[in-house]
Amino acid sequence: MQFRQMKWNLVIYFYLFLSFFELNGIQVNAQQVNTNRPRIGLALSGGGAKGMAHIGVLKILEKHNIPIDYITGTSMGSIVGGLYAIGYSADEIELIAKDINWTEVFEGKISRKVISVEEKNEADKYLLEFPFKNGKIVLPKGVISGQKLEMLLAKLTWSVHGQNDFSKLAIPFKCIATNIETGDAYVLDRGYLPDALRASMSIPSVFAPIEIDNKLLVDGGLVRNLPASDVKKMGADIIIGVNVGSPLYKKDELNSMVSIMDQASSFRNAILTEDEKKLCNILISPDITGYSAASFDAIDSLISKGEKAALELEKEIIQLSNKLKSYGETNVSIKSPSSLHSIFINNIQIEGIKNVSIKLINSKLNIKDSSWVDLKSIEKGVDRIFGTKFFDKVNYRIIQKENQNILVIRVYEKPFSRIKIGANYNNYLNASLLLNGTFRNILGEGSKLILSGKLSVAPEAIIDYSIFTKLKPSIGFRTRFEYFNLLENIYLHKDSVNLQLNRHDFRMKMALVSSLSNSVYIAIGPEVDYRSFNIVEFDQQQYSINLSYFKLFSELFIDTYDRTIYPNSGLSLNFRANYIIDELIQSDFSYDENFWKIDIAFKSYHPIGEKFNLNYELYGASISTSNISPVDKYYLGGDLMYKSYIFPMTGFRFMEYATNNLAIGGLNIRFEPWKNKFILIQANGAFINNDIEQLFNANDFIFGAAIGIGTSTIIGPIEAKISKNNQNDRITGWVQIGYHF
């Protein structure tokens, strides 16, 4: 037994020994450096996506065995240069660049799947969102927090997380940022490498600035886009510069307000870049005409542009190579960073925590001290913490300290109060404006208070309070007060309106809730409903009905969508069971017995190749009594799943049918001929009957189909469809603009 324990300890110590060297960035280049030969420095400029041309230049330098002794970079040049400095080859950086979804990185959104399930109903409903602090709306420092970018950089550089001195990387490295307070260049040559790279490319107003050494830093391209002078100071005797920055506009190009403003802000940098160019012994300037900083869809072409530009100076590169050979160096060997399969974590530290419960963070991270963990598990844990919406950013770092591997989780707490604004138009409910205030930790640690109001022909007001305990699996308490008003036209199987209901609903419910995972949510509790109906019948007779009842409800909610709008994969399931106890409350209409109302809504999305998506959906609802007021039935018709009692049925008017029981099946095909541009084909059929035993009578089958177009935009989906049913010759139209709420 003791021998086995000793053997296990030796294994752990062995891995810790390996981790020590990996995490401290100790890497060895295979060539023996002749101290007499000239030192070669590489300066890489910023330029956003145009910086991909740097990779092509590196490939040609490697082809001719040009050893790089020092590297400096700005913005995208810092990313490419930093990866090269820690040991990635040009070919490896090319594969990395092609594999990254740059749109997702710069959008900054994490996968919807890692958002806490209790937050998913609030995701993608709002056009604008502002922090609310000290009674004032505070504008964000940048559109993008940088969460995705920082996670990417942490993953790519994990092998040097413990190396704080960039001069001790495989190739000594520096990158340039701008001190936004003073406007001066700030040279980053030590610290946490992902932070340095992130600071160097923090495009002002796009990415939030990053604070390092008590200085607020943004993109270095503002002050020194080609850092040749910096690589010279490092000791370079021969400087190879690669410039992908845009030149000043010509007179005939200054034809818009944007180009004039851009030119006005670029004079200083253009002058400084000319000075930096003069320091380069070999200056490579790829032809990036027609490309922009956002041309990440043209990586292959940009890399080719870099290769072509370097080959145009191949004669000078060969001369340099031959000169270096005279010093006895003929090969450049690069040791790539090892990939992280698993690592033994001795301890976990949380940094930046102020008001949020540390137990909440640990429960979402789900990694224990003294355990083996792989990189994917760390990333998923960080995503889950970020998905709680308590933080602007969450990132990680693995360091070595006193022969122990320490996982450092760094959190940046959001202001706990936020104001949100949403807008939507559809031809059922017309224009709507949603105003929302979300306040966290105001009424208890881990609590969330939502005050929401919708201005519309169907106005709403909501007060929603929830708090989660430290018990597992994430058990909490929720209470909700809701009011909404809706003018309903009830057709009752005829083409003209039989009833017009002006409905006012007041609801109050309390629930014991639990988030079983980021995708599964359950709730159970009591609810009190009060409904007031002003009714106008087809013969213009007017009267009112008030309904009040007490019920017990349970709900199961599952959501694995990869995105809210036009999901590509995942499913949603919402199952509700309500037991109505009418006798507890007196109203104008009284039921003879207690009864059940049960409904379910299921949708599933499946990609078929790159251009097609198949979505099937199932809806069902049933009331266990036939003695029910017409105003308290289920409805179907239209293209909205609205509230909990109106089911979609394309081809029919909004709320065209009222029934006690229904079963709906739908099959939809989405074709994407161009990015975010869709052709929609939909078909659905339904059985409806007030008698559950007669539900699947073929005579009661109704069918509808639609064809339309849609697109996903910054303001949400824009969609238009025309539809037809098997009950009449009427063609129905549907238009929606903006996120639905």
Side-chain angles (χ1 to χ4, degrees), residues 6 99 201-202 205 216 268 430 443 518 547 595 599 624:
M6 184 183 300
D99 189 55
M201 67 170 303
S202 294
S205 75
L216 205 59
R268 180 190 177 201
N430 298 321
L443 300 174
N518 280 345
L547 291 178
F595 63 94
D599 55 79
S624 65

Side-chain angles (χ1 to χ4, degrees), residues 723-740:
S723 59
K724 180 78 173 57
N725 66 58
N726 67 339
Q727 299 296 300
N728 51 54
D729 295 328
R730 185 179 60 246
I731 294 177
T732 304
W734 160 253
V735 175
Q736 174 176 259
I737 301 173
Y739 298 109
H740 171 63

Side-chain angles (χ1 to χ4, degrees), residues 528-568:
V528 176
D529 283 19
Y530 172 79
R531 300 175 185 176
S532 174
F533 297 89
N534 297 316
I535 303 174
V536 179
E537 292 193 354
F538 68 96
D539 58 1
Q540 300 302 307
Q541 180 182 355
Q542 300 185 28
Y543 56 96
S544 298
I545 290 180
N546 296 318
L547 291 178
S548 301
Y549 51 70
F550 175 84
K551 66 182 178 182
L552 299 175
F553 76 91
S554 61
E555 181 176 11
L556 169 65
F557 177 67
I558 301 174
D559 184 336
T560 65
Y561 286 168
D562 59 342
R563 57 189 186 223
T564 304
I565 307 303
Y566 298 121
N568 192 51

Side-chain angles (χ1 to χ4, degrees), residues 315-334:
K315 180 178 178 181
E316 288 87 342
I317 293 172
I318 291 173
Q319 288 175 350
L320 176 59
S321 179
N322 291 334
K323 179 179 179 179
L324 296 175
K325 286 178 184 177
S326 67
Y327 290 90
E329 295 183 19
T330 57
N331 290 302
V332 175
S333 179
I334 298 172

Side-chain angles (χ1 to χ4, degrees), residues 23 146-162 192-195 340 343 345 348-351 365 367 373-383 385-386 393-399 406-412:
L23 292 173
Q147 173 73 14
K148 274 277 192 179
L149 177 60
E150 292 183 23
M151 289 291 287
L152 172 65
L153 295 175
K155 177 180 179 179
L156 295 175
T157 64
W158 86 269
S159 62
V160 294
H161 280 195
Y192 181 45
L193 182 61
D195 282 351
L340 176 60
I343 190 169
I345 297 296
I348 299 170
Q349 294 180 2
I350 311 295
E351 294 182 353
L365 181 63
I367 295 174
V373 64
D374 57 27
L375 184 59
K376 186 171 289 187
S377 296
I378 296 173
E379 290 180 326
K380 285 183 176 179
V382 170
D383 282 346
I385 296 171
F386 185 63
K393 289 189 304 182
V394 182
N395 54 41
Y396 72 94
R397 181 179 183 182
I398 306 171
I399 62 174
I406 299 173
L407 174 61
V408 180
I409 303 296
R410 302 188 300 174
V411 299
Y412 300 81

